[in-house]
Amino acid sequence: MARLRMGEGILRRKPIEHIEETEVAEGTSLDRSLGLWQLTAIGVGGIIGAGIFTLAGAVANGTAGPAVLVSFLIAGVASAAAALSYAEFAGLIPKAGSAYTYGYAVLGELVGWFIGWDLLLEYTAIVAVVAIGISGYFSFLINQLGADLPSWMLGAPGTGEGHRVDLFAAVLCLFIAYLLTLGIRNAARFEMVVVVLKVLVVLLVIGVGVFHIDTANYNPFFPYGVSGAFTGAATVFFAVFGYDAMSTAAEESKDAQRHMPKAIIYSLAISMVLYVAACLVLTGMQNYTEIDPESGFSSAFESVGLDSLANVIAVGAIIGILTVMFTFMLGVTRVWFSMSRDGLLPRWFAKTSATRHVPTRVTWIAGIASAAIAGFLPIGEAAELTNIGILLAFVVVCIAVIVLRYRQPDLPRTFRTPWMPFVPAVGVLFSLWLITFLRWQTWVRFALWFALGLVIYFAYSYRNSKLAGR
């Protein structure tokens, strides 16, 4: 009997018919102030960043050649399959937590717990990795201005002579945390302004570069074969999500059931148009063999005598990647808040500010944790902490949307994933395929984090869950 009750416990599900009720008790309510275009800006901010400024050149140079365009299209189609599944859930369950909440409501508490538990680490690590990347561009600009900073503050130990801490990256993480504690309305305004600036820089790059395209650079289009384009898709896939973290803000949307599905689709569509145009310009301006893997657009513009735009591109890269930090720190804080409010983590973390209605406690903890990772780990080691959790979240959401469609087909859905179950099945298969590309060190890290989560769940969460008394 005890074994049976344990099995029933870990499979208990949050009742969808009650999940939309706003929880105002115990100071856990969030402020609904985000409109459609603010949500879309957060999504675009999370998607466009390293993909244009770094990955496009790296994949073109060594993996796909001009077919990097095809790589982005393949990744975009696969990401769209997951995005459409997220859109259905976002309209159906407008609550904080995203994949964690969806998995909890459909597949049970244990599945929801592990998705949420892993996203806590994944999102925090993404913030840190992005901060380290921005720090590199910052150092480039400082050198261009002729300044000479002390070596101890320029990188994590082991990344260069005299390096002790990547101070700029660490401070940047704390700045984003501070920004989020000001309230979602003020933070979203900042994000909107920065995203507009980023898109303008990308449009400038595309608008100027298109007049310097030499079509001969597109030949051969598949220098590494069609397989190179597919391999490139596995790499650039990590540049075409971000809407998953944006969907954690559903509870702060003015009209989440109508706006969240649109924001998810709009943000991915806008980003893919910019990615495709940028790839055409990049590989058309310079032969793929000559593109600098680390600063593709800078080398491309230098190759046609437009060196003056290099600094503009560097500034654009900093601005563009900064918005990624905002989106993913927003994601980790809202997942943590939601898990704590459900009793799976101590409810102390779910306390919100009485005036700004944001979870300030978890925001500062996430900011300090990401600052520590960014300040003291090389970017390669920090990057090992990312990727697998997000792909597993995609798998869970795509499976859950199929299960729920057949289990409760009459639920009021403001958006319905088309071509069910084919579209979410594509999302599942593509995500599982991409997981096979991850290095064994990633699996070791995941296994250790999974084991720690298992201990915490059965030692604390199972008994303290709000559903435990039902």
Side-chain angles (χ1 to χ4, degrees), residues 37 39-45 47-48 242-243 246 261-273:
W37 294 110
L39 290 168
T40 302
I42 293 173
V44 172
I47 298 172
I48 295 181
Y243 53 80
M246 179 267 286
K262 292 179 181 179
I264 290 172
I265 294 169
Y266 290 171
S267 60
L268 182 59
I270 291 170
S271 301
M272 286 308 304
V273 169

Side-chain angles (χ1 to χ4, degrees), residues 93-449:
I93 308 175
K95 301 292 286 184
S98 187
Y100 154 73
T101 300
Y102 310 152
Y104 196 171
V106 180
L107 301 178
E109 185 171 275
L110 188 61
V111 173
W113 158 263
F114 276 114
I115 289 300
W117 176 247
D118 208 46
L119 288 180
L120 294 182
L121 179 63
E122 304 283 334
Y123 284 170
T124 302
I126 288 174
V127 172
V129 170
V130 171
I132 298 171
I134 295 179
S135 181
Y137 280 105
F138 175 75
S139 298
F140 169 78
L141 286 177
I142 291 297
N143 290 333
Q144 290 292 98
L145 295 173
D148 188 17
L149 296 176
S151 60
W152 65 265
M153 61 177 289
L154 297 179
T159 60
E161 184 177 355
H163 288 183
R164 295 291 180 268
V165 60
D166 194 330
L167 186 62
F168 181 75
V171 169
L172 202 55
C173 291
L174 296 176
F175 168 72
I176 296 296
Y178 167 73
L179 187 66
L180 286 170
T181 64
L182 296 179
I184 192 63
R185 189 190 304 270
N186 292 327
R189 286 172 181 165
F190 172 84
E191 175 80 345
M192 174 71 84
V193 171
V194 176
V195 166
V196 169
L197 290 175
K198 170 171 67 174
V199 171
L200 289 176
V201 170
V202 175
L203 290 176
L204 173 66
V205 169
I206 295 170
V208 174
V210 73
F211 293 103
H212 297 273
I213 289 176
D214 180 357
T215 55
N217 289 325
Y218 294 137
N219 188 30
F221 194 74
F222 290 95
Y224 300 98
V226 175
S227 62
F230 277 93
T231 301
T235 302
V236 303
F237 182 82
F238 303 112
V240 294
F241 61 75
Y243 53 80
D244 59 308
M246 179 267 286
S247 67
T248 64
E251 201 167 323
E252 291 156 286
S253 169
K254 293 177 182 177
D255 188 355
Q257 291 180 312
R258 289 195 310 116
H259 289 167
M260 286 301 300
K262 292 179 181 179
I264 290 172
I265 294 169
Y266 290 171
S267 60
L268 182 59
I270 291 170
S271 301
M272 286 308 304
V273 169
L274 293 177
Y275 274 138
V276 168
C279 288
L280 282 171
V281 168
L282 176 64
T283 55
M285 290 179 67
Q286 188 174 28
N287 187 276
Y288 72 94
T289 60
E290 300 171 356
I291 294 174
D292 188 333
E294 295 183 357
S295 55
F297 278 100
S298 293
S299 68
F301 276 91
E302 288 176 356
S303 71
V304 295
L306 297 176
D307 302 37
S308 58
L309 277 178
N311 289 344
V312 175
I313 293 171
V315 171
I318 292 176
I319 293 173
I321 300 175
L322 182 67
T323 62
V324 180
M325 291 183 66
F326 177 95
T327 299
F328 282 98
M329 189 173 289
L330 174 70
V332 68
T333 59
R334 273 40 178 186
V335 171
W336 196 338
F337 163 80
S338 187
M339 294 178 72
S340 302
R341 188 172 60 183
D342 291 336
L344 301 186
L345 291 172
R347 289 185 176 88
W348 181 86
F349 294 120
K351 181 69 175 177
T352 59
S353 166
T355 56
R356 292 169 178 166
H357 304 290
V358 291
T360 52
R361 292 174 178 176
V362 297
T363 300
W364 278 119
I365 294 172
I368 292 170
S370 58
I373 295 172
F376 297 103
L377 282 183
I379 191 168
E381 294 183 23
E384 287 295 332
L385 302 175
T386 66
N387 298 336
I388 191 169
I390 294 170
L391 287 172
L392 289 175
F394 282 7
V395 171
V396 166
V397 171
C398 290
I399 291 176
V401 80
I402 296 173
V403 171
L404 191 62
R405 183 72 72 86
Y406 288 103
R407 181 191 290 159
Q408 295 179 271
D410 298 326
L411 284 173
R413 294 169 168 86
T414 57
F415 177 85
R416 299 174 72 88
T417 304
W419 302 305
M420 180 69 70
F422 173 75
V423 168
V426 169
V428 171
L429 294 174
F430 200 90
S431 297
L432 291 175
W433 176 65
L434 287 173
I435 286 175
T436 65
F437 284 85
L438 300 178
R439 302 200 311 167
W440 67 266
Q441 293 93 334
T442 302
W443 284 99
V444 171
R445 189 277 310 161
F446 175 72
L448 293 173
W449 189 248

